[in-house]
Amino acid sequence: LHFFSPVDKMPLVEIIVGAQTADTTLARAFDYVLQIGKTPIVVNDSRGFYTSRVFATYVMEGLALLGEGVHPRSIEIAGLKAGMPMPPLALQDEVSLGLSLHILDQTRKDLATEGNPQPEHPAEQVLRNVGATHGRLGKKTGKGFYDYDGKDKSLWPQLLELYPPASEQPAQQELIDRLLFVQANEAARCFEENVVRSVADANIGSIFGWGFAPFHGGALQFINALGAKRFVERSRELAQRYGERFAPAAIVVRLAADGGRFEDAA
C-alpha cells in the first residue's frame, strides 16, 4: 500500500499488485483502504509505480526550463497557471533535492545493470549543480531553489547567476504546454504498459496523487478533451524543439489514427 505525504491529508492510496498477488489479497487491501477513508487505485508493480513516475516528469521539466535560461519566476507562474497545486521548483524543494539525487543515482545503477541505460535528462545537471555542488537540499535544510525563513520563502538570488535568463523568454503558453504535455504523455505510457489498469484509475490517481490540474479531469482526460490528433501534433512539435521525451506515446498515436479516445470497457 503506497500512501502519500502528508498521510493525514492526501486521499489516495496506490495498491501495488505483484506478479503473484492473489485476488483475495487485492480485495482485502481494497476493503482496508476504503475502511480507513482513502481512495484506492490498483497499480501493477513497476519502477516508480504510477504516481511517482509521472509526478517526476513535472518537476524535472521545471528544472530543464531553468537550465535553458527561462526565468525561475516565469517557471513557477506557469506551473500555477497550468493548474498545478504547487510550482515545480518549490515542489522540488518540498520533495528534497537530496532524495531526488539518491533516486536518480540508484535508478541509473539499476538500469545499467539491467542493460537498459537511459539518456541523461536535461534537468539532471541542474539538480546536481544546485543540490550537490551548492549543497542546497531543499526546504528541510532551509535552502534549495528557495531560501526559507520560518514561514517565508523567496527564490534564491544566486539562481539568476547560475542560470542567467535568456534575452528572449518563451511565451507562457509554451511553458504551460510543456509542463502538462510531459505529464499526460507519461500517464499514457503507463496505461499502455499496463502499469495502471484503467483509465479511471489513471485519471483519479493523477488528481488525488500529485494534483494534476484537476479542472482537466485527469491526465488521460486532458488528452481526450484536446483530442488525440491534436495532442499528437503538439507533442511532435514539442519533441522537435525540446527532445524525445515529448514524442507521443504509441497508444495516443493509434487513437489519433482511429479517431479514438481513452475509455474503459463497459
Side-chain angles (χ1 to χ4, degrees):
L1 302 183
H2 180 210
F3 288 80
F4 297 79
S5 181
V7 173
D8 59 326
K9 293 184 174 65
M10 296 297 282
L12 191 76
V13 174
E14 281 184 310
I15 301 175
I16 311 302
V17 176
Q20 299 182 46
T21 302
D23 288 344
T24 51
T25 302
L26 173 57
R28 183 169 296 182
F30 206 93
D31 287 346
Y32 171 74
V33 172
L34 291 175
Q35 286 173 30
I36 61 174
K38 301 291 187 183
T39 300
I41 64 170
V42 181
V43 176
N44 289 323
D45 191 16
S46 177
R47 185 181 304 279
F49 306 142
Y50 167 58
T51 51
S52 297
R53 172 173 160 179
V54 185
F55 160 78
T57 64
Y58 170 62
V59 176
M60 293 292 273
E61 198 60 31
L63 271 61
L65 288 167
L66 181 66
E68 291 172 19
V70 179
H71 196 292
R73 192 165 287 108
S74 296
I75 298 169
E76 300 297 77
I77 291 171
L80 295 175
K81 289 285 187 183
M84 299 297 293
M86 285 189 72
L89 303 182
L91 192 52
Q92 178 62 83
D93 276 0
E94 293 280 344
V95 170
S96 154
L97 280 75
L99 176 60
S100 294
L101 283 167
H102 174 73
I103 292 170
L104 187 63
D105 290 339
Q106 188 61 51
T107 300
R108 285 226 163 274
K109 289 178 184 176
D110 291 346
L111 291 176
T113 302
E114 295 166 10
N116 184 31
Q118 298 294 310
E120 184 174 293
H121 192 288
E124 290 186 27
Q125 287 304 316
V126 177
L127 186 61
R128 295 190 191 282
N129 191 13
V130 176
T133 304
H134 288 83
R136 300 182 65 87
L137 298 178
K139 185 178 179 181
K140 68 178 183 180
T141 63
K143 56 182 184 178
F145 290 98
Y146 286 77
D147 284 324
Y148 296 86
D149 182 13
K151 293 184 179 180
D152 297 324
K153 68 179 181 182
S154 57
L155 281 164
W156 180 37
Q158 197 176 331
L159 211 51
L160 297 178
E161 297 175 21
L162 285 180
Y163 299 102
S167 55
E168 290 189 21
Q169 292 288 303
Q172 189 176 77
Q173 190 59 50
E174 186 84 352
L175 306 182
I176 291 171
D177 282 358
R178 285 178 64 173
L179 293 172
L180 290 178
F181 272 68
V182 76
Q183 296 179 74
N185 203 28
E186 193 67 19
R189 289 194 187 102
C190 286
F191 183 72
E192 181 177 34
E193 296 169 14
N194 198 35
V195 173
V196 62
R197 294 181 164 194
S198 72
V199 173
D201 278 2
N203 285 326
I204 291 167
S206 67
I207 295 172
F208 288 168
W210 74 89
F212 179 86
F215 61 88
H216 282 302
L220 298 186
Q221 184 56 30
F222 171 76
I223 299 174
N224 282 344
L226 189 64
K229 184 174 183 293
R230 178 59 189 140
F231 184 88
V232 167
E233 290 170 352
R234 182 62 173 140
S235 292
R236 285 173 173 162
E237 290 173 3
L238 294 171
Q240 188 172 15
R241 292 178 196 168
Y242 307 113
E244 277 299 303
R245 63 189 179 280
F246 287 101
I251 189 172
V252 190
V253 175
R254 290 197 297 273
L255 289 174
D258 299 339
R261 55 188 280 116
F262 286 102
E263 53 191 355
D264 289 319

